[in-house]
Amino acid sequence: MSKTALVVIDMLNRYDHPDAELLVPSVTRALPAVVRLLERARERGLPVVYANDNFGKWRSHHGEILEAALGGPHADLVDPVRPDETSYFVVKARHSVFYETPLAYLLGTLDVDHLVLCGQVTEQCVLYSALDAHIRHLSVTVARDAVAHIHEDLADAALRMMETNMDARIRLADEVLD
């Protein structure tokens, strides 16, 4: 039987980087679907894993990352998706949630073999995370309305690549975790 985990990618963001102006409108549209996924995963007792950049501050921990994001110019995009006391947290160094992180080990200890991915950025971190999950023989679902992009055309291509090349299921958030 498949055990699912929700992976929330880079939603704790300061939005003070060069691409923020392009990203914020897409995050604003995706945010309600991310919140619904979080609510459903928590109601069902599924593992929720936040995988997040550390803003280049290698001594930081998840509480400091959250506080930094809440101190940014778009705290309204961070507050609704803040981790709760049952959430897992993985600090990532690069685009993939697996690269140089303990995520694969954590998922193994939780007997997870299916990931639902949401967050940002579709054409970067979501894409690379889906690929790394695929090569680890994990099944992947991407909630297409719960991922945000910088470049819409690249995001559309990334979703097609995930579906075609990685056997990812691309669904609406309300079709996931039922």
Side-chain angles (χ1 to χ4, degrees):
M1 180 135 222
S2 178
K3 183 168 181 188
T4 299
L6 176 64
V7 179
V8 182
I9 303 172
D10 289 333
M11 287 299 289
L12 307 182
N13 192 313
R14 288 190 44 81
Y15 300 102
D16 61 357
H17 47 82
D19 293 325
E21 188 175 315
L22 296 172
L23 179 59
V24 166
S26 183
V27 174
T28 301
R29 286 189 300 274
L31 187 61
V34 174
V35 169
R36 288 193 310 275
L37 282 172
L38 282 165
E39 289 170 352
R40 278 206 304 283
R42 290 172 176 153
E43 286 169 2
R44 288 165 176 73
L46 298 176
V48 174
V49 181
Y50 287 77
N52 218 90
D53 287 332
N54 65 0
F55 316 124
K57 297 181 181 180
W58 288 102
R59 293 188 176 136
S60 60
H61 58 76
H62 74 277
E64 289 173 299
I65 292 169
L66 175 61
E67 290 307 313
L70 288 170
H74 292 282
D76 59 312
L77 299 177
V78 177
D79 189 54
V81 296
R82 66 171 57 221
D84 68 7
E85 65 281 348
T86 66
S87 300
Y88 297 93
F89 198 93
V90 175
V91 176
K92 66 186 193 64
R94 299 291 293 168
H95 297 80
S96 172
V97 297
F98 290 96
Y99 181 74
E100 301 290 332
T101 76
L103 182 60
Y105 181 80
L106 172 62
L107 296 174
T109 64
L110 297 171
D111 293 322
V112 168
D113 61 0
H114 174 237
L115 302 181
V116 173
L117 303 180
C118 66
Q120 55 187 299
V121 168
T122 309
E123 65 272 27
Q124 296 174 17
C125 300
V126 176
L127 173 63
Y128 302 133
S129 298
L131 175 60
D132 277 356
H134 176 71
I135 64 174
R136 287 169 173 79
H137 303 285
L138 299 165
S139 64
V140 174
T141 300
V142 178
R144 72 173 170 239
D145 55 337
V147 290
H149 59 268
I150 296 170
H151 303 286
E152 187 172 6
D153 60 330
L154 296 179
D156 291 342
L159 289 168
R160 284 195 320 273
M161 288 174 61
M162 288 182 261
E163 186 172 45
T164 303
N165 299 340
M166 300 165 215
D167 297 317
R169 291 180 294 274
I170 309 300
R171 303 284 186 269
L172 294 172
D174 291 338
E175 300 170 350
V176 179
L177 301 179
D178 288 332

